[in-house]
Amino acid sequence: QVQLVESGGGLVQAGGSLRLSCAASARPFSPYTMGWFRQAPGKEREFVAAIGWSAGSTIYADSVKGRFTISRDNAKATLFLQMNSLKPEDTAVYYCAAGPSLVVITTQYNYWGQGTQVTVSS
């Protein structure tokens, strides 16, 4: 079993930055592909970014590419999402997830955190 706990959410103004963290209970952490998803009120859960087990492969949604950076620290079993140039459209609950492969489909991820709220004001 793997438990994921997100942190770092908050309220920021448009153009600001925020760094999200996801602490995992998995040991070792390295075999898992990790992803970030988000869900705004009334909308479907949306893929944001993912990073492979080796950290050598990453994928991003077009809406965040160039603004967000996903990274991981396998030794500390922690996933990060650095969010820059935030827009009001980025407002959502952000979830981290763990799975066996580098994909953008939510159903391919086996473990999920409880989420952390990110609110971007205009």
Side-chain angles (χ1 to χ4, degrees), residues 18-99:
L18 209 58
R19 191 192 196 200
L20 305 183
S21 299
C22 174
S25 64
R27 296 292 188 280
F29 179 59
S30 56
Y32 293 92
T33 288
M34 300 296 297
W36 285 101
F37 295 78
R38 65 188 183 186
Q39 187 167 21
K43 294 187 177 181
E44 296 289 317
R45 189 165 296 187
E46 174 189 28
F47 170 78
V48 176
I51 184 167
W53 63 269
S54 69
S57 298
T58 58
I59 49 176
Y60 295 90
D62 289 341
S63 60
V64 306
K65 192 171 185 178
R67 300 188 297 120
F68 292 8
T69 301
I70 188 171
S71 61
R72 64 191 294 165
D73 185 334
N74 288 339
K76 296 182 178 180
T78 305
L79 176 73
F80 303 98
L81 184 68
Q82 178 65 48
M83 305 185 293
N84 298 325
S85 301
L86 283 163
K87 305 175 181 179
E89 306 93 270
D90 297 318
T91 295
V93 176
Y94 283 70
Y95 301 88
C96 66

